[in-house]
Each structure stands twice: as structure tokens, then as C-alpha cells.
Amino acid sequence: MEHLKVTVDGTTYQKEVEPRTLLVHFLREDLGRVGTVVGCDTSNCGTCTVLVDGVSVKSCSMLAVQADGSEITTIQGVSDGNDWHPVQSAFKECHGLQCGYCTPGMVISSIDLLNENPNPTEAEIREGLEGNLCRCTGYHNIVKSVQRAAELMEGTKS
Amino acid sequence: MIPVAFDYKKASSVEDALAALAEGGEDAKLMGGGQSLVPVLRLRLNAPSVVVDCSSIPELKGIKDEGGKILIGAGTTHHAVMNDPAVKSSLKVLADATASVADPQIRHRGTLGGALAHSDPRADQPPVALALDAEFTIAGTTGQRTVAAADFFQGPFETAVGPDEILVSIAFPKLDGWGGHYEKFNRAAQAWSIIGVAAAVRMEGGKIAEARIGLTNVGGTPHRASAVEQALVGASSIAEVEAASMHASDNLSPFADEDADVDYRLHLARVLTARSVARAAGIS
Ligand SMILES: Cc1cc2nc3c(=O)[nH]c(=O)nc-3n(C[C@H](O)[C@H](O)[C@H](O)COP(=O)(O)OP(=O)(O)OC[C@H]3O[C@@H](n4cnc5c(N)ncnc54)[C@H](O)[C@@H]3O)c2cc1C
Ligand code: FES
Ligand code: FES
């Protein structure tokens, strides 16, 4: 077992983990934070995406021990209490989801995308989300949601 | 799936990692960004006894402009490589190829050294390293050695890096004033190349003076299209670029797979080489 200290969505945890534990399994099974889901066995779908020290990673493709000392944000940590993150509000407003399975990853990847590029073109949005697969929406409303989120976030600056 | 159990060692220096590899013996496995290794462990295609994590070794990270060349630490992430100002201006073809790898999440963790050491026949950066005559610095318990790109790629998933060695850095000669382009042909977002062509071109008076061309996924190792490089000298029109690019299929014996049969691969090699060179040279 390896000792692990991580901050997840603002709370610091100290745990013993087996080295083979994937970060996503640690979040779900050891911490009970099941907002982050698993959608594939091949590192393709992106539904497990979280922010590790501010950048998006696939939590199924990282060992929990590798996150020692880092700060993680999952879908459960993006809102400010009852105030939704602008990306969450935009997904609701633009119907950026149907079944919702891809949504935790889509929202996190969109936050990462807008952090790096606050004013993306449609092509940049489609490319920026290429690590996230959606089986329902056909992506169109997801793209609209990100465009709307960019507007909302522009409005919150000043 | 959950990987088979293994021990974990986080290395703090190259010496530390080499010692852990020596101690772990045959079944020890080095990990860079883990973006190829963790998927492999998850599918239980590999079951190392110990994983030596070199993702937090400071000396493996970073990009240095050393005058005539750019030295990239093996542990530098794809994201850092493709956004580096020196890489973007002096090694555009490397920046382009790196930006085409996988997706943003994987590029945040995957490393240049990991991709080159892994040497997947479909990977996008090996043909760039081959075409640009990059030099690889490899550390072992007896010290460091340098290997030329032409000797580095030895077969599918096989390189000059021994099981008890570590790739430390890759040096690329700077191509200031050259044009560059990476033409990746695939069918869906995030997919691997069916074929990819790396091209770097130096123009003089509207004509191609020098060209470097590397192809991926036309065999077990990246391919240097030397015959095209020679035939391109003096070319200034698209017709001349296309004629020279016909040599891209010289000495190729590609495989067939679910994406392309042999004839289609040979066709793609020629067409995509012309397209890549034209873009790199600004000829249309
Ligand atoms: C869904 C998906 C899509 C992908 N798409 C593409 C793509 O389109 N194009 C592409 O080129 N790649 C693609 N990749 C692969 C990706 O580029 C990986 O980042 C890269 O191949 C491995 O880099 P890494 O640092 O993560 O290496 P790791 O996974 O850590 O290691 C890979 C191998 O290299 C060895 N290794 C790592 N570092 C060193 C070192 N310093 N010295 C010696 N050996 C070392 C390891 O022992 C292991 O055998 C994809 C991967 C995934 C999961
Ligand atoms: S679970 Fe599919 S990419 Fe992580
Ligand atoms: S909303 Fe169902 S997978 Fe995206």
C-alpha cells in the first residue's frame, strides 16, 4: 500500500491505496465521489475527465498514487455552493445533454478549454472536445453550450 | 478492467530510476506520462512486477534553446512541446505533429520521450524525429550515450533504449526559416493516423532548396522518404511537387489492415506526401 494525500473538491484526504488503483476508482470507491463515471476500457471516451492541478486528465488513465500532493476538481466541485458554474448553466440552457452520461467529462473538458482559450471558434470547440465522446446529442448542442458558456464567462469578468 | 497488482516506485532522479530498474530486473517497467502504459496495464496486456514512475524527475522536463538545436527533455508533455515558442518557430513540423496526437487530456500527461520510446508504428512524432535527424540521449548504469534517429527506431515498439535504460532527452537541429507541416490522414477525431507525413522544406528564390520527409504507419518503423527529398530540389510548382512525391512509395512494402489495403496505402503515401510538402512550402 502507498500513502496518498490529495485535495478533492476542496477537501483534503489521506488514504492508503494499492498502486494499481486507478484515480477514477479511488474517487468513486474510496472517496464515494461518484459524479465522475467510467465509460470505456480504452482511454477514449473522456467521461472520467477531472482537473488535476488545473488541467484536464482522464482519471482512468492515471494511477491514484500519481495524484499524491495534487489538487483535483471533479464535476462535484465546479459549482460554488448552489451557484452553478457558467458551463453547467449553459449546458442546461442549450440542452447540451440527453442521457447525461458524458456530461461530467464534457463539462470539465469545456472548463479546461475555456481556461486556455476564452473565445474559441466553433472549430476550436470541436477540436478541444475531441477527447470526449457523446452517444446522444450529435455534439451540436454541446458546441452551442460552450459558445454560450464563453458569453456567460465574458460577462462575469470586469 | 483493473490492472494486475504491482509495486510502485516514484523516482526522484535519473540515477534513482536506473537503480530501481536494475533492482526490479526483467519485470520492471518505466512509466512516463502513462498514456500508453496505463491503458496497457488496464487491459492486462502487460503485468510488470514494479512500475518505476519517472514523471516527476525534474531533469527530464523542459525545453532548452541551445543555439543550433533545441533540446527537449524526454518527460516534457505533448502540451508543453506544442505550445513552446521556440518549438513553434524553429520546429513547426514537430509542433503540428504533436498537436495532432490523441486529445487535450492525453496531451496534458503524455510525453515526447514516452511516445518515442514506445515507438508505436502509428505514432505521429517518430517520423518527425527521423526526418529531422534528431539525436537521442540515453542513460544507463554505465553512463550516457547518444544515438542518431536513423539507428533509434528498430522495429514495432522496439528502439535503441534497452530495458534497463532511460531516454533522457531528444535534440532537434533548428530549422529557422524553414516551412513545416504534418499531414495526418484519419477517419475520426482522436483516431490514430492511417498514414501521416511530416515535411520540412527550405525555400530559396521560390524553389525548394532542401526537404526532409518522414512517413508514419507505412511499416513497422517510421520511413524516411529520401528519394522524394532529392527529387524535390528545384521544384517550384504543384506539378513538380506531385511528380517528386511519386517516389514516396519507392522501397515501401506496407501492410494491409482494416483501414487500408496495400495499394491504397501506397497511393496515400504519394498523395499525402505531395499535400504535406505543398503546405510546408507554401506552393498551391
Ligand atoms: C486514446 C488514445 C489515443 C492516442 N492517440 C495517439 C495519436 O493519435 N498519435 C500518437 O502518436 N499517439 C497517440 N496516443 C499515444 C500517446 O501519444 C502517448 O502519450 C504516448 O504514446 C506515450 O507517452 P507517455 O509519456 O504517456 O508514455 P508511457 O505510457 O508512460 O510509456 C510508454 C512506453 O514508453 C516507455 N517509456 C516512457 N518514458 C520513457 C523514458 N523516458 N525512457 C525510456 N522509456 C520510456 C515506457 O516504459 C512504456 O513502455 C494515444 C493514446 C491514447 C490512450
Ligand atoms: S473511462 Fe473512458 S476515457 Fe476514461
Ligand atoms: S448525453 Fe448521452 S452520452 Fe452524451
Side-chain angles (χ1 to χ4, degrees):
Chain A
M1 299 294 257
E2 295 283 323
H3 186 74
L4 172 62
K5 182 178 174 189
V6 275
T7 302
V8 180
D9 299 332
T11 306
T12 301
Y13 300 87
Q14 304 230 32
K15 293 266 182 191
E16 302 298 315
V17 292
E18 262 195 277
R20 63 169 160 169
T21 311
L22 303 174
L23 178 58
V24 69
H25 292 144
F26 173 75
L27 293 171
R28 293 177 56 83
E29 285 156 32
D30 294 53
L31 304 187
R33 300 190 75 75
V34 294
T36 305
V37 291
V38 178
C40 74
D41 242 335
T42 52
S43 304
N44 284 105
C45 76
T47 190
C48 63
T49 303
V50 299
L51 300 178
V52 175
D53 293 328
V55 300
S56 62
V57 309
K58 292 179 172 176
S59 62
C60 71
S61 303
M62 181 171 171
L63 304 175
V65 283
Q66 290 185 286
D68 186 33
S70 57
E71 203 162 300
I72 294 171
T73 305
T74 76
I75 188 66
Q76 289 174 264
V78 298
S79 68
D80 181 5
N82 288 330
D83 291 335
W84 285 9
H85 189 284
V87 173
Q88 292 176 298
S89 307
F91 268 72
K92 176 176 181 236
E93 194 184 315
C94 303
H95 301 278
L97 60 146
Q98 289 181 19
C99 81
Y101 202 83
C102 68
T103 314
M106 282 291 178
V107 168
I108 298 281
S109 286
S110 303
I111 291 173
D112 180 83
L113 167 66
L114 292 169
N115 279 344
E116 198 162 303
N117 180 1
N119 255 315
T121 61
E122 180 182 338
E124 285 166 346
I125 294 171
R126 290 185 183 273
E127 266 173 35
L129 295 179
E130 76 175 313
N132 294 73
L133 306 181
C134 176
R135 285 288 178 259
C136 304
T137 63
Y139 301 98
H140 200 64
N141 283 357
I142 291 176
V143 174
K144 279 196 199 158
S145 303
V146 179
Q147 287 169 327
R148 178 69 184 132
E151 285 170 17
L152 292 173
M153 288 164 81
E154 182 64 30
T156 58
K157 277 185 253 161
S158 66
Chain B
M1 249 156 59
I2 295 168
V4 172
F6 52 79
D7 290 333
Y8 174 79
K9 162 86 185 147
K10 184 173 217 149
S12 55
S13 66
V14 170
E15 287 69 48
D16 198 24
L18 287 170
L21 283 180
E23 198 192 359
E26 234 175 70
D27 292 332
K29 192 79 185 144
L30 204 62
M31 181 159 80
Q35 299 306 289
S36 290
L37 186 59
V38 176
V40 159
L41 296 176
R42 260 179 106 184
L43 295 171
R44 299 198 170 194
L45 298 172
N46 195 325
S49 56
V50 53
V51 168
V52 179
D53 182 358
C54 53
S55 66
S56 35
I57 300 179
E59 58 199 284
L60 292 184
K61 287 186 204 287
I63 299 172
K64 275 190 236 135
D65 191 332
E66 298 204 319
K69 54 190 177 182
I70 292 179
L71 190 70
I72 306 182
T76 310
T77 63
H78 300 317
H79 183 259
V81 170
M82 65 190 256
N83 287 301
D84 184 80
V87 172
K88 285 206 285 198
S89 69
S90 304
L91 297 170
K92 180 175 178 290
V93 58
L94 177 64
D96 281 6
T98 304
S100 83
V101 168
D103 55 52
Q105 295 97 310
I106 288 169
R107 293 194 297 264
H108 280 142
R109 290 202 64 79
T111 66
L112 177 62
L116 295 171
H118 192 52
S119 196
D120 190 307
R122 304 164 298 172
D124 297 303
Q125 293 141 319
V128 178
L130 182 68
L132 269 44
D133 291 315
E135 283 193 338
F136 294 75
T137 299
I138 300 169
T141 38
T142 53
Q144 295 200 342
R145 64 196 174 99
T146 303
V147 175
D151 304 319
F152 184 82
F153 302 103
Q154 300 184 342
F157 305 100
E158 240 184 81
T159 69
V161 185
D164 52 354
E165 291 184 313
I166 297 176
L167 177 60
V168 175
S169 62
I170 310 99
F172 291 85
K174 272 208 231 171
L175 298 179
D176 289 327
W178 290 53
H181 182 70
Y182 186 69
E183 185 74 24
K184 177 165 177 163
F185 187 76
N186 60 8
R187 287 201 293 217
Q190 196 204 50
W192 293 82
S193 290
I194 296 172
I195 281 190
V197 183
V201 174
R202 186 171 66 79
M203 301 296 285
E204 230 175 65
K207 291 186 172 162
I208 294 178
E210 258 182 287
R212 308 275 171 79
I213 294 155
L215 278 75
T216 200
N217 213 18
V218 290
T221 54
H223 174 74
R224 178 100 183 238
S226 311
V228 181
E229 293 178 359
Q230 283 153 22
L232 277 171
V233 174
S236 61
S237 69
I238 188 73
E240 285 165 343
V241 168
E242 283 170 357
S245 300
M246 292 304 283
H247 292 291
S249 52
D250 291 2
N251 307 317
L252 274 191
S253 41
F255 46 85
D257 62 13
E258 69 278 15
D259 289 318
D261 64 17
V262 169
D263 283 346
Y264 184 46
R265 264 211 165 73
L266 292 171
H267 169 76
L268 283 177
R270 295 186 290 260
V271 171
L272 298 173
T273 298
R275 214 177 274 173
S276 194
V277 170
R279 288 286 297 276
I283 294 174
S284 55

